[in-house]
Amino acid sequence: MPTRALLIGGSGRIGRMVLKVWRDGDGPSHYDPAQYRAAVPEMRDSDLIWDALNGSDPLSAWMQRHGLLSGLVVLAGVTPSTGFDLDANVEIASAYLAAARRLGIARVLLASSSAVYGIGQGAPLNEDDPCHPNSFYGAYKLMMEDVASGYRKEGLEVCCLRIGNVVGADALPLGAHLDQLGEPLEIDCFEDGHGPLRSYLGPVSLAGILSQLAHHPARLPFLLNVAAPQPVHMDALADAAGLPWSAVPAAGYTPQRIVLDCTRLARLVNLRADAGAAPRLISEWRAYG
């Protein structure tokens, strides 16, 4: 059986970073192809231009030329920073799931989000905890997971990845400040003097996780938190990046601690012990962001 996965969303922000890591390295995903909705200069001959919303025939024709696929890594979707039609995430995911089922692709890694949990109660959130999203983005991602569960029950190996913050592409203000220095970053600080504590990943760590999961020899669980094992404070990230920042008192309703329990992930992949350390996160962003 083939052990090649097609990365969906090669032109997206996270997709570009992941592909660059894969193709700069010598791991199992070095030669994995990527999907784009339109031609871009960095495309390889084996890459694919395809929009699943228009049907799966282009992928079928591609597979006849290039061979079978073992899986899809679906990073395509709409985020609060890229568009307002967040409900499209359900339709987009459904189209790729349907294509995988029709063409006999056994595994789909589907990018969900830690936003499905909401703010939690301060304790690390694990995959069995109830979800109470407090944003439209989280709500639609949860709806997407519900659709995916139907495909899973029908036999398609779907693994929904509840990804935490990716440094440089996160929804928090840090991402914009990393791209373009301007006014000092304001960080909500709490009684202990630190800012929010969140679960993060750098692009190198994320790319490694996706590659290991895409090529994992055993069946994957339906839900999987994806982040570094140790969370990081926002002020530590700003300091590591050399960003000027100022502390502002955190509002009473602002949660300091929203972190993911990644015990399940740790059983499946290898990850650097310092993957969640602020200097490591920033160095990965500077190399591939």
Side-chain angles (χ1 to χ4, degrees), residues 13 24 45 79 103 113 115 122 186:
R13 180 154 195 178
D24 280 358
D45 291 340
T79 68
L103 299 177
S113 170
E186 289 188 348

Side-chain angles (χ1 to χ4, degrees), residues 8-166:
I8 304 294
S11 59
R13 180 154 195 178
I14 292 179
R16 288 197 305 269
M17 291 192 290
V18 167
L19 271 179
K20 188 175 180 182
V21 176
W22 282 4
R23 293 178 173 182
D24 280 358
D26 57 0
S29 290
H30 177 75
Y31 294 105
D32 282 351
Q35 171 268 355
Y36 299 87
R37 293 175 62 189
V40 295
E42 60 267 27
M43 283 184 64
R44 290 177 173 177
D45 291 340
S46 60
D47 290 339
L48 167 67
I49 297 175
W50 172 46
D51 185 345
L53 295 177
N54 296 325
S56 60
D57 287 348
L59 179 59
S60 177
W62 181 93
M63 291 172 63
Q64 290 176 23
R65 293 194 305 272
H66 297 281
L68 301 176
L69 290 167
S70 56
L72 303 180
V73 181
V74 182
L75 301 181
V78 181
T79 68
S81 63
T82 60
F84 297 102
D85 51 341
L86 298 174
D87 58 330
N89 284 311
V90 180
E91 183 182 11
I92 291 169
S94 298
Y96 289 110
L97 290 166
R101 181 176 61 184
R102 179 193 167 205
L103 299 177
I105 298 171
R107 173 177 292 168
V108 178
L109 302 181
L110 189 59
S112 186
S113 170
S114 60
V116 299
Y117 291 114
I119 62 175
Q121 300 297 320
L125 297 156
N126 69 59
E127 293 89 347
D128 296 324
D129 285 334
C131 293
H132 301 290
N134 62 335
S135 67
F136 286 116
Y137 179 65
Y140 284 121
K141 283 292 187 180
L142 191 59
M143 290 174 60
M144 180 198 76
E145 290 184 3
D146 186 57
V147 171
S149 70
Y151 283 87
R152 176 95 176 189
K153 292 172 182 175
E154 294 173 359
L156 181 64
E157 185 191 335
V158 187
C159 179
C160 295
L161 307 177
R162 292 177 171 175
I163 302 173
N165 294 289
V166 180

